[in-house]
Amino acid sequence: MINTIYGKKLGMTQVFNEDDRVLPITVILAEPNKICQVKTKETDGYNAVQLGFGTIKEKKVNKPMAGHFKKQGTEPTRYLREVRVDTASEYAVGDKVTVANLAEAKKVDVTGISKGKGFAGVMKRHNFGGGPGGHGSHFHRAPGAVGQCATPSRIFKGLALPGHMGCDTVTTKNLEVVKIDEEQNLILIKGAVPGGKNAVVRIRLAR
């Protein structure tokens, strides 16, 4: 069984559990993922299946991708993702992966692209404390001294400095599955997951 499904993050809400306690919930729409290609060790060097999901108009599919879908004999999809499997012979093009595959799941790992924050300073990016806030101080939000003396006369690699923040592939592990709605293809997960609204996320059984 494929233990992974892709979906879109719809947003966050809250529900009450059996003890009447409020739980923060992330709602993920995971429509059936269709197998568009099966890769085997003999033909591709490894075993994997290619999952397609999301609707797209045929006129918006470029020629290389249209040829790929035509060769496999499947309808075009907006997104394609690959999942490694142990035995590729168990799967066939056209099979579908649904939220029912995770019906018994208690914990899942969710992977997504974090929200982009642009260029950020050390206080926002690395949680530095900063300097005094008084007017007489000339040290407020700067990183402080980072250089060395004549030996080694350079800045060490790996220092926490200002720079681009966000837009990273982030995995949040061991999130609790609160509910799975097979009719509406919804997965309700306790807590926050990486990415903004409508971001593509991967849901996988926790290891």
Side-chain angles (χ1 to χ4, degrees), residues 4 33 46 67 98 119 132 141-142 174-175:
T4 302
N33 292 188
Y46 60 97
T98 66
F119 189 93
R141 300 180 66 87
N174 294 320
L175 293 173

Side-chain angles (χ1 to χ4, degrees), residues 61-100:
V61 181
N62 60 30
K63 288 186 177 181
M65 293 308 301
H68 173 71
F69 289 117
K70 184 177 180 181
K71 181 180 179 180
Q72 301 300 326
T74 60
E75 292 293 325
T77 58
R78 181 173 294 275
Y79 304 103
L80 285 177
R81 296 293 187 271
E82 196 170 273
V83 177
R84 295 290 187 103
V85 294
D86 295 327
T87 308
S89 59
E90 298 178 1
Y91 310 100
V93 174
D95 292 349
K96 292 184 178 181
V97 180
T98 66
V99 293

Side-chain angles (χ1 to χ4, degrees), residues 80-170:
L80 285 177
R81 296 293 187 271
E82 196 170 273
V83 177
R84 295 290 187 103
V85 294
D86 295 327
T87 308
S89 59
E90 298 178 1
Y91 310 100
V93 174
D95 292 349
K96 292 184 178 181
V97 180
T98 66
V99 293
N101 289 38
L102 304 177
E104 303 300 325
K106 301 298 182 182
K107 301 277 187 177
V108 292
D109 299 338
V110 181
T111 302
I113 305 296
S114 62
K115 291 182 179 179
K117 305 293 183 180
F119 189 93
V122 291
M123 291 181 67
K124 181 175 181 179
R125 191 183 187 204
H126 300 293
N127 200 30
F128 278 26
H135 288 202
S137 173
H138 294 280
F139 177 70
H140 298 295
R141 300 180 66 87
V146 295
Q148 311 301 318
C149 193
T151 303
S153 190
R154 62 183 177 85
I155 295 177
F156 291 138
K157 291 183 178 180
L159 290 181
L161 295 173
H164 188 272
M165 181 179 178
C167 286
D168 296 319
T169 300
V170 179

